[in-house]
Amino acid sequence: MLAEDCRALDPALDPFCPEAIERLVARHGSPLLLIDAVRVRAQYRRLAAALPGVDLHFAMKPLPHRSVVEILRDEGACFDLASDGEIELARRAGVAAARCIHTHPIKRESDIRSALDFGIDTFVADNPDEIRKFGKFRRRAGLLIRVAFRSPDAVCDLSRKFGCDPQDVAPLCELAAALNITVHGLSFHVGSQAMSPTMHVEAIEACARLLSSAAVCCERPGVLDIGGGFPVDYRHTAMPIEDFCTPIRAALSTLPAGVRVIAEPGRYLVAPAAIGVATVMGRAKRAGRWWYYLDDGVYGSYSGRLFDHANYELDALRGGAERHPSVLAGPTCDSIDVIEENLSLPRLAIGELVVGRSMGAYTWACASEFNFFPKASVLALDRGRIIAGQDGA
Ligand SMILES: Cc1ncc(COP(=O)(O)O)c(C=O)c1O
């Protein structure tokens, strides 16, 4: 099927334009998650240009799809892996282990062993128990100590769950030294979809002080991993990435000479590179508003409405200028499965298409098949060619 479908669209046609979307749904059904390789590359190149000298490790979790891994592999990206499944995906996509780090702060011994077997040698820890787990692997693994910097203005504040207090870095490094475990440096993640670079800047400056302190016994000049958090546009426009990274670059210049800087962008690389396409299964007028029931919802690709607090730009693919108060709901029988209540949409007929923009991050990756409604099929396109289908093949 894929072989004969390979050239699905005119290479000059934007795969996110109405004509392309209609053609793809006619052939591959609905719901779909369409990934555009050209946009993935553009995001990677734009962030790489905004952070020169910083090694970008794609955090796979927002969109763990083989096509994306292969596109970024070919761009020269490195990878941030956090589970056996992600390691397996990297392996299948032919990613060299030397380009990967393991960043989950809490791991079972079996997780450490499978990462080591793949060839990863850099891990993250943020507490004494986790450091002790590496005693028996000290010849094969080194650590980054994850530091917590609370980030009230990030949409998802990750330092609530992981990371040690800055004052605990020195004792944790001492414990590692006592166990002959190498500490390569520090890492942090200020939280996803950061609204301003302020927390990145403060965290980098705090880490610069720690990496300069004689009390912190780690490799010199060492490594600083500045995590992810780089924001994208949803219904609210985010700061352009060039502006976001300017103060970050200035803060990085305060690091001791020679520190290797890495970052773990996830959302920024994939969110704008995919759209969700769903079909109206049925409709009803309730209390003066049109309710449209789609074949995808918050238990599917729109899970990010709940888990990720994301406000996707949603609209009908076609339709007249006249708009009416409308609600978009998912297909399941659960009342929480409502995507958006206060929309203004053209009058939609059963079978018409609805598109969600910037749906590459934390959408399909977090979707379930509750009520046996299948997850969206994934189609990755590169200048008119389908490069991967649902199973990533
Ligand atoms: C350890 C780690 N690195 C990177 C990321 C990616 O963050 P973002 O999508 O904000 O770039 C996450 C997200 O949860 C994470 O937990």
Side-chain angles (χ1 to χ4, degrees), residues 381-392:
L381 292 117
D382 191 0
R383 285 168 290 225
R385 277 184 54 243
I386 293 178
I387 54 171
Q390 167 76 24
D391 58 357

Side-chain angles (χ1 to χ4, degrees), residues 57-62 80 82 103-105 124 146 156 158 162 188-189 191-194 225 227-231 263-270 361-362:
H57 285 251
F58 170 52
M60 275 187 199
K61 50 190 82 65
D80 152 13
T103 62
H104 201 310
V124 167
R146 178 152 162 183
C156 312
L158 292 171
F162 297 117
F188 62 80
H189 194 306
S192 206
Q193 185 71 358
D225 177 348
F230 305 99
E264 301 167 5
R267 181 191 306 278
Y268 184 80
L269 300 185
V270 292
Y362 307 109

